Structures are given as structure tokens and as C-alpha cells.
Amino acid sequence: MSGFLTDAYLWFKALHIISAMSWMAGLLYLPRLFVYHVEVHAESQEARRFSVMERRLLRAIMNPAMLATYIFGVLLLATPGVVDWSSGWIWLKILAIGVLTGSHHAMGKWRKDLAEGRNTKSQRFFRIANEVPTIAMITIVIMVVVRPF
Ligand code: HEM
């Protein structure tokens, strides 16, 4: 098993980066859609169109991309010699992954609330929510590439 993981390491890393990019695309764009969505009347045709776009983005792109990021990330973790658990960067990366996963689930709830006309959040709230995955992504990339500690 460990020989297979070592042989496939670069392929798994490439697939991990591709899926993480797709997941991030959704995490950064979905709150932007919420910002535009709250601007329009809740019962309008435009609101319904935003709901369809939001549902498709979450179900067709973000959910599978998150799953794939986790699967390939865990395969990389299991590859011998890739992660030294005594270094700090991996722990901060795991914390930032927790923030991304929490943001993903919160966005799923906000999407449902908007689609069912139960949203109570403001446009300003969604603008601020947009910054959370941005900061987590910057943290992750610095951790995996620079590994400062
Ligand atoms: C979801 C759970 C995740 C796990 C378990 C995980 C785990 C890992 C592991 C073990 C590596 C290999 C490090 C190495 O080859 O030295 C890696 C590489 C990488 N990860 Fe993740 N990761 C996850 C999520 C993410 C996310 C969300 C992003 C981007 C926002 C990301 C970006 C990267 C990048 C860019 C690399 C390549 C670093 C390099 O070797 O230059 N990962 N990941």
C-alpha cells in the first residue's frame, strides 16, 4: 500500500490541487451570489434565478470538490515521509481546513434560508462572510508552500 501511495504521490497531489481550486472557486463565489441575491425582491424572478445558480454551484461543484479535496488530501497524509507531525504548519493548515469546512456548511444553510424566503442576514454580513474563506486559503497556501514553522 505504501509503495502504491509513494508511486502515485505526484498524481494525487495534482488531483488534490485541482479539487482544492474547484472547491475554493465555489467558496469565494457563493457568498458573492448571496450579496446580489439579497438586493432583489424575495419573490421575484431574479431571486428564483439566483436560488437555482446557488443550488447548482453548491451541489454540482462545491460538494464533490470538497469531497475530492479531502480524499486526495488524506491519501497525501498517508504517504510515507510527506508530513512531519512535529512541525507546526500542518496543524495550522488543519485549523484553516476546519474554517473552510465550517464556511461550506454555513453557506449551505444560508443558501437554503434564501431559497425558502427565511433569510435574515444582510448584504454586509455576506460581504464579511466572503473574507473568511479568502483568509483561510491564503493561510493554507503559505503553510504548504513556505512551511514557516
Ligand atoms: C481537505 C483536507 C486537506 C488535507 C487532508 C490536505 C493535506 C495535504 C497534504 C498531506 C499535502 C502534501 C504536502 C506535501 O506534498 O508536502 C497537501 C498539499 C497541498 N495542499 Fe492540501 N489538504 C487539504 C486541503 C487543502 C485545501 C483546501 C487547499 C487549498 C486551499 C490545499 C492546498 C494544497 C496545496 C497547494 C498543496 C501542494 C503543496 C506543495 O507540495 O507544494 N489543501 N495537502
Side-chain angles (χ1 to χ4, degrees):
M1 179 68 180
S2 66
F4 165 70
L5 288 174
T6 305
D7 290 347
Y9 167 67
L10 290 176
W11 283 102
F12 287 152
K13 188 146 85 171
L15 292 166
H16 176 64
I17 294 170
I18 293 164
S19 43
M21 286 173 76
S22 312
W23 187 24
M24 284 312 311
L27 284 169
L28 298 177
Y29 190 51
L30 189 55
R32 272 321 303 170
L33 285 176
F34 295 158
V35 168
Y36 304 137
H37 192 156
V38 293
E39 269 177 0
V40 301
H41 192 274
E43 313 272 278
S44 64
Q45 181 71 36
E46 284 162 295
R48 276 192 287 277
R49 195 170 301 132
F50 278 123
S51 290
V52 171
M53 288 165 74
E54 290 155 3
R55 193 182 67 236
R56 288 190 183 153
L57 182 59
L58 191 75
R59 299 227 176 121
I61 300 196
M62 294 171 67
N63 286 345
M66 177 174 74
L67 186 66
T69 308
Y70 267 91
I71 290 170
F72 293 116
V74 169
L75 286 169
L76 291 172
L77 280 181
T79 306
V82 168
V83 172
D84 171 4
W85 292 99
S86 66
S87 46
W89 68 270
I90 187 68
W91 298 104
L92 187 51
K93 175 169 178 178
I94 288 170
L95 182 72
I97 291 164
V99 171
L100 289 181
T101 307
S103 303
H104 183 109
H105 286 100
M107 286 176 202
K109 185 189 176 299
W110 300 331
R111 183 205 71 75
K112 225 169 162 211
D113 288 348
L114 276 159
E116 292 168 8
R118 283 188 279 108
N119 173 56
T120 52
K121 306 274 187 288
S122 66
Q123 202 188 58
R124 189 177 140 74
F125 174 88
F126 290 126
R127 280 183 199 278
I128 294 167
N130 213 345
E131 303 305 327
V132 176
T134 309
I135 293 164
M137 175 194 67
I138 293 169
T139 305
I140 289 176
V141 173
I142 293 173
M143 288 309 110
V144 292
V145 175
V146 183
R147 299 187 179 193
F149 41 81

